[in-house]
Amino acid sequence: IGASELLLIVVVAIVVIGPKDLPRAMRLAGQWIAKARRLSNHFRSGIETMIREAELEEMEKTWREQRLYNFFLNIFQLFWLWLEILLLRDI
C-alpha cells in the first residue's frame, strides 16, 4: 500500500467511524490482523511439516532400496568368491 492509499484509508475511516471511535476500531483491526497472521503462520508451519515428512519418507525409501541393493551385491560377491575358491581348489 502506498502513502496516498494509506492516507485515503485514514480519511475514509475518520469520516465513516468518527474520530472518537477510531482508536477502538484501530485496536480491533489490529487484533484481527494478529489473528490472521497467527492462522497464516499455523497453516504455513503445517505445510512445512508435511513437506519435511514427505522428504523424510523419500529419504527412507532411497535408503531401503540402497540397503537392499547392497545386500544382494554382498550375496553375489560372496557367491563369486566361493565359486573362485572351488575352482582354484580343483586346479
Side-chain angles (χ1 to χ4, degrees):
I1 295 177
S4 60
E5 295 166 337
L6 188 58
L7 182 62
L8 179 65
I9 292 171
V10 169
V11 169
V12 170
I14 290 174
V15 170
V16 172
I17 298 172
K20 180 181 168 192
D21 294 328
L22 190 59
R24 190 170 53 113
M26 294 298 288
R27 197 170 21 257
L28 185 61
Q31 290 172 352
W32 286 350
I33 291 170
K35 285 181 183 181
R37 284 185 179 169
R38 282 194 300 270
L39 183 63
S40 172
N41 288 338
H42 181 71
F43 179 74
R44 185 181 314 129
S45 71
I47 295 294
E48 289 173 354
T49 300
M50 288 172 34
I51 290 170
R52 270 188 258 113
E53 288 175 357
E55 288 173 350
L56 283 175
E57 288 175 4
E58 184 64 32
M59 288 172 58
E60 287 176 352
K61 179 183 174 193
T62 303
W63 179 74
R64 274 187 257 115
E65 289 171 353
Q66 185 66 35
R67 200 173 72 176
L68 185 63
Y69 170 78
N70 286 336
F71 173 76
F72 283 116
L73 181 64
N74 286 338
I75 288 176
F76 177 76
Q77 289 172 342
L78 284 172
F79 175 74
W80 193 256
L81 182 64
W82 176 75
L83 190 61
E84 286 178 347
I85 291 171
L86 284 179
L87 292 175
L88 286 175
R89 275 183 37 195
D90 289 343
I91 294 181

